[in-house]
Amino acid sequence: MFTHYFGFTKDPFARNVPSQELFISKDVEHLTKRLNFFLNDGGIFLLTGSIGAGKTCALKSFADSINPAIHQVIYMSGSFDTKKDFYRTLLMLCGITPSFFAGDCRNMVRKYLIDTQVMKKQTPIVILDESQNFPAFILEEIRLLTNFDFDSMSPALFILSGHRLLRQRISLHENEALRQRLSLQFNLEGFSLEETCAYISHRLEKSGSSSRIFNDSVISKIHEESMGIPRLINKICKALLLAAVISEKKTIDEYLFEQTRGEWQ
């Protein structure tokens, strides 16, 4: 509705953003540098952050930048009730028909990861998103997958990504062995006020708009309301754009912001 009204070529605050159009904040820039170092260093990378901070978007952008001739990216997300569920899902993502038994599935996964590295000369990168939902026994299985040949090598790189709860869980004594295997850690924060302003301008520009739609005072309110979290910024901006269409306004001011406040809470 507001796309036509404002002359956008697409929804500026849509959920799915092409990697080449991702807004690069300072945190995302620092994260990318650490992930590129991790490609050579190996082990387990722990990525945490607030809900909606852009962890998955940053990982997708990173995955898209990787040379497929050198690395194979395997992306997993969700919760698993049993070890068999975890290994069967991983095998199916690798294009392998899983066995019925959990122990066999584990061995099949290990063989696939090793063969991919040794025979195909590709290092698998297993991205485990929403890892805060994993039971403790799944976290232990991930640790075991990094142990090969008397702990002298790891057949794959693992990225654990999740809410801040994940960092708290890994700090527990029961996960001490896993914590010691973390090679790098990073916590993705929300935008600064300046970054929120730049982010909104960036998203509008990528949608074909050169107009100044949001007043500076409104952008400050958006930042305060969203705490700089991209997902919340998107939600607020979409509600404000819709309200502007209904009110037949081309510029969003503080009055319209206050009138619309209840629509995103």
Side-chain angles (χ1 to χ4, degrees), residues 143-203:
R143 182 190 72 82
L144 293 173
L145 284 175
T146 65
N147 184 358
F148 178 72
D149 195 15
F150 294 97
D151 206 19
S152 62
M153 66 165 287
S154 174
L157 308 180
F158 291 84
I159 299 176
L160 292 174
S161 176
H163 307 163
R164 290 174 179 172
L165 173 63
L166 176 61
R167 186 181 295 270
Q168 297 173 14
R169 291 191 59 201
I170 290 180
S171 68
L172 297 176
H173 178 71
E174 64 181 11
N175 294 316
E176 176 63 18
L178 175 63
R179 189 186 67 78
Q180 290 186 12
R181 288 183 180 273
L182 299 178
S183 53
L184 286 170
Q185 303 181 44
F186 192 82
N187 188 69
L188 195 61
E189 301 286 352
F191 297 153
S192 65
L193 174 58
E194 292 75 14
E195 287 175 328
T196 296
C197 180
Y199 172 78
I200 292 173
S201 296
H202 174 82
R203 295 298 292 265

Side-chain angles (χ1 to χ4, degrees), residues 77-249:
S77 178
S79 182
F80 306 97
D81 295 327
T82 65
K83 297 177 185 179
K84 185 168 77 170
D85 288 342
F86 172 73
Y87 283 115
R88 283 176 63 87
T89 301
L90 184 49
L91 284 169
M92 287 187 287
L93 289 171
C94 296
I96 299 174
T97 302
S99 170
F100 179 78
F101 300 103
D104 291 341
C105 287
R106 180 193 295 114
N107 293 333
M108 292 172 70
V109 167
R110 291 178 68 88
K111 183 178 185 304
Y112 176 82
L113 296 178
I114 294 167
D115 287 350
T116 300
Q117 187 177 75
V118 176
M119 306 297 292
K120 296 182 179 180
K121 305 302 181 183
Q122 291 178 306
T123 301
I125 303 174
V126 183
I127 299 176
L128 300 158
D129 209 354
E130 302 295 343
S131 298
Q132 76 279 347
N133 297 325
F134 290 178
F137 61 83
I138 295 296
L139 294 177
E140 174 62 9
E141 291 298 316
I142 295 168
R143 182 190 72 82
L144 293 173
L145 284 175
T146 65
N147 184 358
F148 178 72
D149 195 15
F150 294 97
D151 206 19
S152 62
M153 66 165 287
S154 174
L157 308 180
F158 291 84
I159 299 176
L160 292 174
S161 176
H163 307 163
R164 290 174 179 172
L165 173 63
L166 176 61
R167 186 181 295 270
Q168 297 173 14
R169 291 191 59 201
I170 290 180
S171 68
L172 297 176
H173 178 71
E174 64 181 11
N175 294 316
E176 176 63 18
L178 175 63
R179 189 186 67 78
Q180 290 186 12
R181 288 183 180 273
L182 299 178
S183 53
L184 286 170
Q185 303 181 44
F186 192 82
N187 188 69
L188 195 61
E189 301 286 352
F191 297 153
S192 65
L193 174 58
E194 292 75 14
E195 287 175 328
T196 296
C197 180
Y199 172 78
I200 292 173
S201 296
H202 174 82
R203 295 298 292 265
L204 291 173
E205 180 183 336
K206 293 299 180 181
S207 299
S209 174
S210 58
S211 302
R212 185 171 175 271
I213 298 173
F214 298 89
N215 286 350
D216 291 342
S217 58
V218 170
I219 291 177
S220 295
K221 285 181 174 292
I222 292 172
H223 175 74
E224 181 180 355
E225 192 82 6
S226 67
M227 299 174 290
I229 301 299
R231 186 182 298 165
L232 295 179
I233 294 173
N234 293 345
K235 187 176 181 180
I236 295 170
C237 287
K238 290 183 78 165
L240 290 171
L241 288 172
L242 180 58
V245 174
I246 295 171
S247 302
E248 298 183 350
K249 291 186 174 183

Side-chain angles (χ1 to χ4, degrees), residues 250-262:
K250 291 288 187 178
T251 303
I252 297 171
D253 55 21
E254 289 189 57
Y255 176 78
L256 187 59
F257 180 92
E258 294 300 333
Q259 289 293 108
T260 314
R261 183 185 290 273

